Amino acid sequence: MTIWINVIVQGVLVGGLYAMFAAGLSLIFGIMRLVNIAHGDLIVLAAYLALVTAETLGIGPLPALLIVAPLMALVGYALQRLLLNRTLGHDLLPPLLVTFGLSVIIQNGLLELFSADSRRLQAGAIEVATFPLSEGLSIGALPLLSFVVAVAVIGALQLVLYRTALGRAFRATADDPDVAQLMGLDNQHIFALAMALSLAVVAVAGVFLAVRANFDPAIGPARLIFGFEAVIIGGLGSLWGTLAGGVLLGVAQAIGAQLDPGWQMLAGHLMFLLVLAVRPEGLFPRVRA
Amino acid sequence: MLLEVAALDAFYGDFQALFGVSLRVAAGEAVAIIGANGAGKSTLLKSIAGLMRARPDAIRFDGVPIGVMPAHAVASRGIALVPEGRRLFASLTVEENLLIGGQLGRPGRWTLQRVYALFPALAERARMPAPSLSGGQQQMVALGRALMSNPRLMLCDELSLGLAPIVVRDIYATLPAILGQGTSLIIVEQDIAQALKAATQVYCLQEGRVALAGAARELTREAIAAAYFGV
Amino acid sequence: MSAVRVEFGGRIGRPALLAIVVIALAAAPAWGGRDDLRLLAEIYAYVGLASLWNLLAGYAGLVSVGQQAYVGLGAYLLFALTLLAGVPPLLAIPLAGVIAAIVALPAAALLFRLRGHYFAIGTWIVAEVFRLLASQASVLGGGSGLSLPVGIVTSIAATRQEREFLIYWVALALVLVVLLLIVALLRSRYGLALKAIRDNEPAALSNGIDVTRIKVIVYIVTAFATAMIGALIFLQKLRISPDAAFSVNDWTAFVIFMTVIGGIGRIEGPIIGAVVFFALRQTLADLGTLYLLLLGAVAIVVMLWAPKGIWGLIVARFGWQVFPLERHVVALARSQDSGAKAP
């Protein structure tokens, strides 16, 4: 029995990480109706940036994050302003194909620079620290930390969206980009700021990915898929829903893995397909007026 | 002269909607633009507001050519558009809609409190989602949102659209206060009687051209009807 | 009352030239070596895959990044049918197509709950599910895959040369069938409906077009043809593995790049794109990852600055069309008036 409780707890905690993968994706889709196929690869890019920063400067993951997050935000601003803003419009193909091309470029660029070897960001003692809860049940410090950070990140995003002028600007531009301009908001700039924010979150997700597991240039698409599944399971338009979606995905994967290691990913996908079949709007969709 | 429009053309793709339209608005004035559907009234306002491109000197605001400026730049210069059909931000509350109107932070007399004083019905509904309000109340929000940017010139596109006459009257009753606080007005209206009462100068558009222009008090019914219908 | 007739903007362009090309290609075993035949067969497969992706995305507006699901499914069905059910390999190809079409039905039922970009990622997930299931099927080699047994290989034809010729002709025939299928579909009522949907979906809906049904039909037909091509590809390779069969790079990235660069939404586009792609590959293959990087960059540049691709530029410049699809309404000679006479 404790095995299963352990499994579920692990699933919940990794769900936080998935929610972090998803949060940036959800934000961008909500504000500009853009699904960034390169999202997962950008997470991996952030992981490599953190690795390089940590190794060159001889610092730990947290200080590295403080450097990588603003850097990724800048990358996001430039990416949106220079490239992705040109793809926005009514046509579906350009943003999809351009971000797909971007995904291929990032993956192969990383492959060129770093080779296909698995890498890991060292975090020191915290990697193995655990908190024993009861007989046979303990929680890893790192998984717990990533879950807490995920909740904090989503909380912070909610705060920005609903309690700040910037968030108001985001929501208004999402509602009606033309009228938003009449308020003095420059759409090009607003979208770029949104992407900058999204990539800042991606940076956090990337650092936790780098510390938690071995990574290599090819794992981007899987992170995109996990993030995407978390968003759909949780329901479009709701960040807390995305957290719930991530948790459910994590739990499904954990249960699958416990039954047979080869079933881990499959279990997650099946959970996604099940939600799609039975409740396609997701578990906690935000009802749009 | 606050606003000078000189020989303005406007196109939707290949279709020409405005042909050499000229008009002037002096500071402190209320100018009405009337005309049948499709005459080009909304197009004219959109051009002035920067939502449609024009020749740089086709539109001068305070002597500065703004024809080519994008909408957000035009807004920051002090021109506010109250769009046709209100177009409030659906996922924002009433108060948030007003606050975002003040996004630019232009100095002036219009604050949230002043707007609530002008439209008391809004104060009661501050936290409600904008779409949940009645048509007339939404129109007030749209007006208030434009006022929050402390504009020198406010463009009102069909304030009476879809509203009951009594509601229209109440809304028009607030216009003198707005003028009094230093915001000039361009009023596009299908309701000719209301337009003539509210404005000092009238322009009548017919198929993209100015068919008649003059002081509201001096124009005769016949002249207006002729210009309106192109008879 | 005058009557009207609908006719196409032209006959298929230069039919004599096309016929010569096809005959020359069919005669390739006579003038080409083993490597030439393999390369040509590969090109045919890609022309087929790209044309099908183009049908789905450029005409039906269904952008899929998961067609590798059906390439792999077709391939695994071929191996399963020949290995486990003793079906002759060449017969297994169309059979694999039919079974894949049946599988595509529930897939469509799920996927069509998603729209636009979300649909695209959903197709990717379906492909992943297929790949993971294939990895779990130990009878078909599990994660590492397996090779087609000698017995089955020799059952195709007695000698290696005969086998290679046969597979080559089947590949050529298959791509011609796929292209004809696409042209026939687009010149039919369905094609007109697809054009309407592509131009303005709500308007099409309000004109009584059953948009969902047509999209589902196109999705299933595409799955059917894609699976057959997948079966043929891996019959030629003689070996299968989940990663190869369901590779996103091979069966989606390359296909999409080809179609985008050649020109989306036109039949000629994918053909041009495939030719350009292979020309590039022959010259740049040594570059490895840089080659993929370059492809990605070119695709982005084309998408943003020449969204109609190479063929689009050609059409804009010269007005050529090999497969004309515009319809013209032609008034026929007036039939006798009902009897009213001129005063």
Side-chain angles (χ1 to χ4, degrees), chain A:
Chain A
M1 188 58 194
T2 27
I3 297 180
W4 288 107
I5 298 183
N6 218 355
V7 161
I8 293 184
V9 168
Q10 299 312 317
V12 169
L13 295 182
V14 86
L17 188 62
Y18 291 164
M20 261 200 282
F21 293 160
L25 204 62
S26 181
L27 186 72
I28 291 305
F29 193 76
I31 295 177
M32 6 179 188
R33 296 272 173 287
L34 176 78
V35 167
N36 185 359
I37 293 197
H39 185 80
D41 303 289
L42 287 163
I43 296 177
V44 174
L45 177 67
Y48 274 102
L49 275 174
L51 186 69
V52 166
T53 311
E55 285 181 357
T56 351
L57 299 178
I59 54 179
L62 189 54
L65 177 59
L66 294 175
I67 296 177
V68 172
L71 192 59
M72 287 294 287
L74 238 96
V75 166
Y77 190 90
L79 186 65
Q80 186 68 35
R81 196 87 201 229
L82 299 173
L83 188 66
L84 296 179
N85 269 343
R86 291 175 205 272
T87 67
L88 295 176
H90 298 295
D91 205 357
L92 187 60
L93 275 167
L96 216 128
L97 294 179
V98 167
T99 55
F100 190 78
L102 200 60
S103 167
V104 168
I105 290 178
I106 295 178
Q107 275 184 59
N108 286 283
L110 287 174
L111 205 54
E112 269 298 303
L113 289 172
F114 296 101
S115 89
D117 294 337
S118 264
R119 310 295 296 273
R120 185 87 171 260
L121 187 55
Q122 304 302 322
I126 198 174
E127 287 176 35
V128 290
T130 58
F131 298 118
L133 285 185
S134 66
E135 277 292 321
L137 182 61
S138 65
I139 298 188
L142 193 55
L144 183 62
L145 181 64
S146 61
F147 186 82
V148 168
V149 168
V151 173
V153 162
I154 290 187
L157 282 176
Q158 286 283 113
L159 208 90
V160 167
L161 276 178
Y162 292 98
R163 296 286 162 106
T164 65
L166 179 65
R168 214 162 36 227
F170 282 154
R171 284 183 294 137
T173 309
D175 277 344
D176 197 333
D178 287 334
V179 176
Q181 288 188 71
L182 297 175
M183 309 290 116
L185 296 171
D186 180 1
N187 289 353
Q188 307 285 310
H189 179 59
I190 296 286
F191 291 150
L193 283 179
M195 185 55 89
L197 186 58
S198 171
L199 288 201
V201 173
V202 158
V204 177
V207 166
F208 274 96
L209 174 72
V211 173
R212 214 189 144 88
N214 293 322
F215 62 95
D216 64 76
I219 69 167
R223 310 310 118 185
L224 167 72
I225 288 180
F226 293 158
F228 173 77
E229 288 178 334
V231 170
I232 297 291
I233 294 175
L236 285 173
S238 163
L239 283 172
W240 291 119
T242 299
L243 181 64
V247 163
L248 262 146
L249 182 66
V251 168
Q253 282 192 359
I255 293 178
Q258 183 62 26
L259 293 171
D260 181 326
W263 290 3
Q264 179 184 346
M265 309 270 258
L266 204 51
H269 295 328
L270 290 178
M271 163 65 100
F272 161 77
L273 291 174
L274 186 67
V275 171
L276 197 58
V278 163
R279 201 180 146 89
E281 68 274 17
L283 295 171
F284 309 104
R286 169 168 286 250
V287 179
R288 267 289 186 94

